Amino acid sequence: MLQELSHMDRITQLQDEIQRLLTIMSSTIAYLTARSTFLQVSEQIPITKSRNPDKYDPPELFEANKNELVQDLIVKAKQIEYLIQSLPVPEPEQQQANRLQALEQQMQDANEEYIQAVDRAKNLHRKISEFLRTMLDNADGPVEPVR
């Protein structure tokens, strides 16, 4: 069971790292769209908008920030890859079915024991109730044992 918890911890870590990767990607897209200037990529398509110079980063700074964002994405992707590699190999389907069948049998056995215990408790309750009723009915006379 401790090993299963360890695997669940890894899965939780993997979920957290994927969430962080998505956050980095979202922040990267937001930065790239907010802090870039419009450049003409084709002579057939003119630039129809321009941005105020204080709204975009100079080309050198923009390029440096782009490289840093790419490095962040690569590092996070490698961390995720490492976590995926550390996950256990899935057990074969037949082995899973056998394990589930054994657990089902254990559950049925436990349920039968529970039903027997409840029946014993009801039987004892009935006997005690009868005994008490007999004692109260025959307060002056001898008490007969309940069978």
Side-chain angles (χ1 to χ4, degrees):
M1 177 147 164
L2 186 58
Q3 189 177 14
E4 287 180 16
L5 289 175
S6 174
H7 297 321
M8 294 307 292
D9 288 344
R10 287 185 186 142
I11 291 172
T12 302
Q13 287 175 335
L14 182 59
Q15 289 173 328
D16 292 344
E17 292 303 319
I18 289 172
Q19 185 64 41
R20 287 185 190 108
L21 177 68
L22 293 173
T23 301
I24 291 171
M25 293 172 109
S26 173
S27 299
T28 300
I29 291 170
Y31 171 78
L32 292 175
T33 56
R35 301 302 294 174
S36 65
T37 186
F38 299 108
L39 297 174
Q40 188 168 359
V41 292
S42 171
E43 291 184 21
Q44 289 90 11
I45 304 172
I47 296 176
T48 58
K49 278 187 154 185
S50 65
R51 244 185 209 163
N52 193 348
D54 59 333
K55 298 280 183 177
Y56 64 90
D57 290 338
E60 305 83 31
L61 177 62
F62 185 75
E63 199 62 36
N65 288 339
K66 250 187 359 184
N67 289 335
E68 183 180 340
L69 292 168
V70 167
Q71 289 303 316
D72 291 345
L73 286 170
I74 290 171
V75 167
K76 192 56 64 183
K78 286 183 180 181
Q79 289 172 349
I80 290 172
E81 184 178 10
Y82 174 77
L83 285 172
I84 290 171
Q85 296 301 322
S86 70
L87 289 173
V89 177
E91 73 181 321
E93 193 172 321
Q94 185 60 42
Q95 191 175 355
Q96 284 180 6
N98 292 342
R99 189 166 53 90
L100 289 175
Q101 196 171 26
L103 289 172
E104 177 74 25
Q105 185 60 47
Q106 288 176 359
M107 188 176 70
Q108 287 175 356
D109 293 345
N111 195 31
E112 287 174 14
E113 288 176 18
Y114 172 76
I115 290 170
Q116 289 172 356
V118 168
D119 288 343
R120 273 194 311 269
K122 285 180 181 178
N123 190 26
L124 286 172
H125 182 266
R126 181 185 54 78
K127 285 182 180 181
I128 290 171
S129 295
E130 287 175 8
F131 178 73
L132 290 174
R133 195 173 307 114
T134 303
M135 281 183 63
L136 292 173
D137 289 346
N138 300 326
D140 296 328
V143 178
E144 293 180 29
V146 178
R147 297 182 192 136

